[in-house]
Amino acid sequence: MTNPHESAPHDPAALHKRYRLERERRVRPDGAAQYRDADAEFGYYAADPYTEPAERAPLRDAVDVAVIGGGFGGILAGARLRQQGVERVRIVEKGGDFGGTWYWNRYPGVHCDIESHVYLPMLDETGYVPEWKYAPGEEIRRHAMRIARTFHLYEDALFSTGVTALTWDEAAETWIVATDRGDAFRATYVVTATGTLTDPKLPGIPGIEDFEGHTFHTSRWDYAYTGGTPRGGMTGLADKRVGIVGTGATGIQVIPMLAEDAAHLYVFQRTPSTVDVRANRRTTAGDVGADREGWARERRENYLRIVSGESADQDLVADAWTASAGLLEKLLPSFRRQGDREAFESAYEAADAAKMNELRSRVEDTVTDPETADKLKPWYRYACKRPTFSDLYYPAFNRGNVTLVDTADTHGIERVTAHGVVVDGTEYALDCLVFATGFNVGTSGIHSGKLPVHGRGGAQLLHTWARRGPRTLHGLTCNGFPNLMQMGPLQNASSVNFTHVLDEQAIHAAALVAAAEAEGACVEPPREAEDAWLATLAADAPDHEWFHAECTPGYYNREGRGRPNGPGGYPHGAVAFHRLLKEWRETSMGEALRPRTAPRV
Ligand code: NDP
């Protein structure tokens, strides 16, 4: 592991103590139960502000593949299926258009903090070259629509439609897809790409429902109220006292924009994020070598190698993510193998302390009021929370119209009243309250219980998994649920560049469909293949305990309770996982195919 800040001072014992104290201030006994879903009486927070659903008759027809979700996962599945020659592909999406998270998140300042030339998929295929190193959300959303147009995915798409049940018709060997628009159509295959952080969540603060001012969640920005666009100019806020709850990756992007436009901004912070250098800039095709064929694939693979802890001749992206790869992918065997465990941990801690000291100094160097600067300093290890990046965030706190209200001692905001927010007994009067409080983790789609999946013999997926945990082959397919392919992080590999991971999953799912079509087969791995996969995941599973013991709570560690039980992802990282999938397709794909018994519809 490289340590660019070898000489930065740190005292491990003092840091441990401080980290533990800060964690104890924040851990709540109610853990994840502290949050509320944005549904039922809070459904207003999740309603689509961008598109009025179009009237249409319910569908009873049949398609080859139903793809659930129209974000990058679903779009990539559709595109890769088209490349395999599949004709009837129907993407079903809750939003009014393609884009997924980039459809919903249009808040002021929205950008992707992964370099656009590696984050935006299918640049080689669409001939598009992003204009910024870190692209604004609108450019990303338009690229999602570009891929959908290129691969004719609008043709059969259903928007403003949520899938409510999937039922395997054993006699016909097809899925019946039911939706909240009354559809009940058939699909030979189903690919689920429902995302991981999609359903907005609210803090379970007493009195939220009593607030008489205006309120919304960042993923449903109300420009009708604020005025302006994602680039700012929110003239509607010029005479408003605005409060924002949450200083995660979203809050960090929104807060400087609100600071610019609101009469006064109150930032209610519970845990400060790490906020590293952004250095965004316009880029040209020449900057990224976009005149060469395959340039985007090469750049993306280079990035994935570095952030996955594999060696690479050069660092093409060269940003804060790649510089901190050793800290982020701390638990990969490729890093852990460097020396014995004690030596690894102490080298890791030295590098981590140096990085965190650097980030704490950044606050001191920028924020002029020492008390405010002190509150903004993060006290935990770098990878405990999602790193963030901004050159505008800290300067916003030097403005006269911005007040930082630290809520760590009271475990967050105490109460909302008709006229504002109460922290530590003080009421802050507000006209508008914005929730940048993030999303429920893993609560959408087929793992949520909200979308029941009935497979062979009527077995329900979550019931089947209830006793011994999820069982899959490569995270994508499972026994008892034929022709169902699940995209997402479950039991495969993840990465900070999640669109890359999704693309590899899409390639795999499309290859399975093509092979099944060619063989007249159904896709269904035998139980033995699942057993072998679970054993592979467990064999070299990293020990997270020493790391999480001092981590501040958040969605990375189930609000302070450590990692979920059971095998996690593939322990050797995304690059090795993609290699494994490719080899399996070339040599062993037959093990997941069994002959069809019913004729193909
Ligand atoms: P997060 O879950 O990361 O942050 C939620 C924030 O709300 C935290 O600061 C949290 O504090 C705070 N909060 C929650 N409850 C309370 C309460 N009762 N009182 C006070 N504060 C409270 O959500 P985000 O939307 O910021 O980010 C979610 C994810 O979306 C990111 O982690 C990232 O993966 C992705 N994202 C990616 C971006 C990109 O550029 N690629 C941009 C934006 C988001 P605490 O930390 O104490 O829990």
Side-chain angles (χ1 to χ4, degrees):
M1 175 164 44
T2 55
N3 177 5
H5 312 290
E6 210 91 57
S7 59
H10 80 282
D11 170 355
L15 269 185
H16 280 227
K17 193 168 166 210
R18 180 74 196 255
Y19 288 179
R20 278 192 185 278
L21 281 174
E22 291 291 337
R23 173 189 154 96
E24 279 159 22
R25 276 172 86 200
R26 294 185 169 86
V27 172
R28 293 173 44 139
D30 50 358
Q34 68 183 279
Y35 296 107
R36 270 183 188 164
D37 291 346
D39 59 14
E41 76 262 44
F42 297 108
Y44 147 82
Y45 284 97
D48 185 345
Y50 316 117
T51 309
E52 194 60 44
E55 284 297 318
R56 64 171 177 81
L59 294 174
R60 296 279 185 275
D61 59 351
V63 295
D64 296 320
V65 187
V67 178
I68 308 179
F72 274 125
I75 294 169
L76 287 164
R80 297 303 181 189
L81 285 162
R82 288 279 195 246
Q83 287 180 327
Q84 291 282 5
V86 181
E87 283 176 10
R88 295 177 301 170
V89 176
R90 173 171 293 155
I91 299 185
V92 188
E93 164 57 41
K94 278 187 188 163
D97 205 329
F98 288 113
T101 197
W102 302 103
Y103 173 85
W104 296 110
N105 285 282
R106 304 188 197 189
Y107 55 80
V110 59
H111 274 70
C112 183
D113 63 12
I114 309 292
E115 198 208 56
S116 50
H117 306 92
V118 298
Y119 179 81
L120 295 189
M122 297 199 123
L123 293 176
D124 293 316
E125 290 84 346
T126 55
Y128 183 67
V129 183
E131 292 168 6
W132 289 88
K133 190 161 174 78
Y134 303 98
E138 187 59 12
E139 185 180 341
I140 303 171
R141 193 169 75 83
R142 293 202 173 278
H143 184 64
M145 294 158 76
R146 179 180 298 113
I147 301 174
R149 277 195 309 274
T150 305
F151 291 93
H152 311 291
L153 300 175
Y154 276 96
E155 273 169 22
D156 220 348
L158 298 181
F159 295 115
S160 305
T161 303
V163 175
T164 51
L166 293 172
T167 308
W168 179 247
D169 177 343
E170 221 154 331
E173 290 188 317
T174 60
W175 287 97
I176 299 168
V177 182
T179 77
D180 57 8
R181 304 290 295 272
D183 307 301
F185 65 88
R186 286 177 179 272
T188 308
Y189 309 87
V190 170
V191 178
T192 64
T194 44
T196 47
L197 295 164
T198 45
D199 294 343
K201 73 177 195 260
L202 301 169
I205 306 169
I208 283 196
E209 58 278 20
D210 298 335
F211 185 60
E212 289 175 4
H214 200 70
T215 175
F216 51 88
H217 188 272
T218 43
S219 65
R220 307 289 190 272
W221 197 269
D222 190 351
Y223 284 105
Y225 175 81
T226 64
T229 69
R231 279 185 282 178
M234 292 176 281
T235 49
L237 300 182
D239 58 351
K240 302 288 190 301
R241 297 157 302 178
V242 179
I244 181 163
V245 187
T247 54
T250 301
I252 260 61
Q253 296 184 342
V254 177
I255 284 162
M257 309 297 282
L258 286 175
E260 188 83 28
D261 290 341
H264 199 96
L265 177 67
Y266 294 92
V267 177
F268 298 101
Q269 169 191 273
R270 190 164 63 180
T271 312
S273 284
T274 58
V275 187
D276 210 339
V277 173
R278 176 64 314 169
N280 198 5
R281 58 184 180 275
R282 276 198 178 274
T283 50
T284 64
D287 294 340
V288 291
D291 46 351
R292 277 179 301 106
E293 203 172 314
W295 70 274
R297 189 178 60 247
E298 188 190 320
R299 194 174 180 91
R300 226 162 49 132
E301 281 169 5
N302 173 262
Y303 183 79
L304 195 70
R305 288 193 74 77
I306 293 172
V307 295
S308 303
E310 304 239 346
S311 62
D313 293 342
Q314 50 178 337
D315 177 357
L316 292 171
V317 170
D319 70 357
W321 286 108
T322 57
S324 306
L327 296 177
L328 290 163
E329 304 292 329
K330 65 219 166 280
L331 302 166
L332 283 177
S334 51
F335 283 115
R336 281 183 289 142
R337 269 197 292 272
Q338 295 170 14
D340 61 29
R341 183 182 161 137
E342 226 168 273
F344 166 74
E345 285 181 21
S346 104
Y348 174 80
E349 288 193 6
D352 188 89
K355 179 72 194 170
M356 290 304 291
N357 281 347
E358 172 199 314
L359 291 169
R360 287 186 284 262
S361 300
R362 194 168 185 243
V363 186
E364 252 164 41
D365 294 345
T366 320
V367 178
T368 47
D369 173 43
E371 206 183 310
T372 305
D374 214 41
K375 289 178 190 162
L376 286 167
K377 283 184 197 162
W379 291 101
Y380 44 81
R381 290 192 178 110
Y382 186 62
C384 285
K385 282 219 168 257
R386 171 74 157 64
T388 77
F389 309 86
S390 173
D391 300 331
L392 308 173
Y393 183 68
Y394 291 137
F397 292 93
N398 292 335
R399 300 174 62 107
N401 68 331
V402 177
T403 305
L404 178 69
V405 183
D406 190 48
T407 70
D409 285 330
T410 49
H411 294 296
I413 284 177
E414 272 170 60
R415 201 155 31 92
V416 177
T417 65
H419 306 294
V421 153
V422 179
V423 178
D424 212 7
T426 303
E427 181 172 13
Y428 297 85
L430 301 172
D431 301 301
C432 174
L433 180 57
V434 180
F435 288 103
T437 43
F439 304 87
N440 284 320
V441 183
T443 54
S444 63
I446 63 173
H447 302 148
S448 68
K450 294 179 198 158
L451 197 178
V453 182
H454 295 276
R456 261 194 302 113
Q460 198 177 323
L461 183 72
L462 292 188
H463 295 174
T464 310
W465 287 356
R467 204 162 54 85
R468 290 169 57 208
R471 298 175 51 83
T472 68
L473 173 60
H474 304 141
L476 279 119
T477 55
C478 58
N479 183 267
F481 298 85
N483 290 359
L484 175 71
M485 277 143 285
Q486 309 170 40
M487 296 174 70
L490 180 79
Q491 295 186 350
N492 51 52
S494 199
S495 165
V496 293
N497 193 15
F498 201 53
T499 54
H500 189 163
V501 172
L502 288 172
D503 197 15
E504 295 291 336
Q505 294 179 5
I507 288 168
H508 194 74
L512 280 166
V513 169
E517 288 291 282
E519 304 277 322
C522 282
V523 180
E524 187 180 2
R527 290 189 73 82
E528 302 73 54
E530 291 181 339
D531 290 339
W533 184 241
L534 292 185
T536 302
L537 297 182
D540 207 1
D543 168 13
H544 295 115
E545 277 317 304
W546 69 274
F547 183 78
H548 285 293
E550 289 171 10
C551 267
T552 193
Y555 79 86
Y556 272 19
N557 65 356
R558 294 195 303 152
E559 301 300 329
R561 288 165 190 210
R563 287 273 170 163
N565 302 326
Y570 183 65
H572 303 281
V575 175
F577 179 66
H578 297 161
R579 211 163 32 228
L580 178 145
L581 282 187
K582 187 164 183 288
E583 281 167 19
W584 182 86
R585 288 197 296 272
E586 284 161 5
T587 60
S588 312
M589 190 146 57
E591 75 171 332
L593 302 177
R594 62 160 178 79
R596 287 185 67 89
T597 49
R600 187 69 173 71
V601 285

